[in-house]
Amino acid sequence: MFCLCCILLGKKMQGSSDYFLTSGDKIRFFFEKGVLDKKGNFLIPKEKSISKIGHALHAYDPVFKQITHSSKVQELGRKLGLERPVVVQSMYIFKQPGIGGEVTPHQDATFLHTEPLGRILGFWIALEDATQENGCLWFIPGSHTNGITRRMVRAPSGASTCVEFVGSEPAYDDSQFIPLPIKKGGLILIHGEVVHKSELNSSESSRHAFTFHVMEAKGTTWSKENWLQPTPELPFPSLYT
């Protein structure tokens, strides 16, 4: 879900770590691994190489802003008991045919940490049918009750990488995961601590999805160590309008 590698646009490197760390209040483009040769030339058509667009579609793109703040989403938020939900990020995920990369098992709260835990909720909207063949999501039922064992935080100034992991990554039993295929237009709600993954898309069909994360802001502290931070230009906007 989170692209931490250098971002290459054509032959020009876009500042790698800075390009990623400052994308929270912008719309930026992230490519799949292995789509460029050593000289920075695309090995496949550029439009087929993109992995995702993020992380502020909800704020600056009128279509995705409308979807994020739609009456259906706001009604669902209220039914879930969210009192002061704010939108922290959004992404368009392509999962390209044949090359759409594997997303290894993870918990969203590893990347979007709050005190207390349990305040992050992902909205994952299928824009195309998501099947086992093209890389649907897989979950470990009940894993949201076990907390988290590691966090991704901003690396100290001068470090060789922009982020680093603190804590240990547990070994997950593949037999515990169950697939969750979903039809175009369907919605999956993802608890911030549930363990989930997706496999490589080895099919001939893409698996487009729009996803955004909401934080219950009431009584919640957003970690200043998170890679994603609100800015003066884009404070986390309220889900409710």
Side-chain angles (χ1 to χ4, degrees), residues 154-233:
R154 288 189 172 225
S157 178
S160 59
T161 59
C162 61
V163 294
E164 61 186 17
F165 284 95
V166 178
S168 60
E169 181 179 15
Y172 296 109
D173 182 353
D174 281 345
S175 67
Q176 292 184 302
F177 286 91
I178 62 168
L180 190 59
I182 189 170
K183 290 292 187 180
K184 175 182 178 181
L187 169 67
I188 299 175
L189 293 176
I190 304 176
H191 189 284
E193 283 106 79
V194 71
V195 179
H196 57 292
K197 67 174 184 175
S198 66
E199 303 291 348
L200 171 72
N201 181 4
S202 57
S203 76
E204 297 180 356
S205 302
S206 57
R207 192 224 64 187
H208 290 197
F210 174 61
T211 181
F212 59 94
H213 286 87
V214 165
M215 174 183 72
E216 171 56 79
K218 183 178 180 180
T220 306
T221 301
W222 179 259
S223 174
K224 293 182 179 180
E225 295 182 317
N226 287 338
W227 77 267
L228 175 69
Q229 294 296 324
T231 65
E233 293 76 20

Side-chain angles (χ1 to χ4, degrees), residues 2-103:
F2 297 84
C3 179
L4 307 182
C5 58
C6 292
I7 308 306
L8 298 169
L9 299 178
K11 296 182 180 179
K12 183 178 179 183
M13 182 177 288
Q14 296 294 310
S16 61
S17 61
D18 181 68
Y19 187 82
F20 171 71
L21 284 179
T22 59
S23 65
D25 61 355
K26 300 175 182 66
I27 297 176
R28 287 184 170 168
F29 302 85
F30 301 82
F31 291 92
E32 290 286 355
K33 294 180 180 178
V35 299
L36 300 164
D37 64 19
K38 293 180 179 179
K39 296 181 179 179
N41 298 309
F42 282 94
L43 298 171
I44 59 177
K46 187 183 297 185
E47 66 274 13
K48 296 293 184 180
S49 303
I50 194 164
S51 170
K52 73 172 185 178
I53 302 174
H55 290 93
L57 292 164
H58 62 281
Y60 298 128
D61 184 281
V63 172
F64 294 109
K65 184 175 183 178
Q66 181 180 14
I67 293 171
T68 303
H69 297 281
S70 69
S71 58
K72 288 184 178 181
V73 170
Q74 294 190 50
E75 180 183 1
L76 179 56
R78 291 188 170 93
K79 286 183 176 179
L80 292 171
L82 300 178
E83 296 185 53
R84 287 176 45 205
V86 295
V87 185
V88 300
Q89 71 162 5
S90 55
M91 297 178 286
Y92 191 111
I93 302 173
F94 290 80
K95 203 76 166 180
Q96 301 282 10
I99 65 167
E102 171 193 14
V103 178

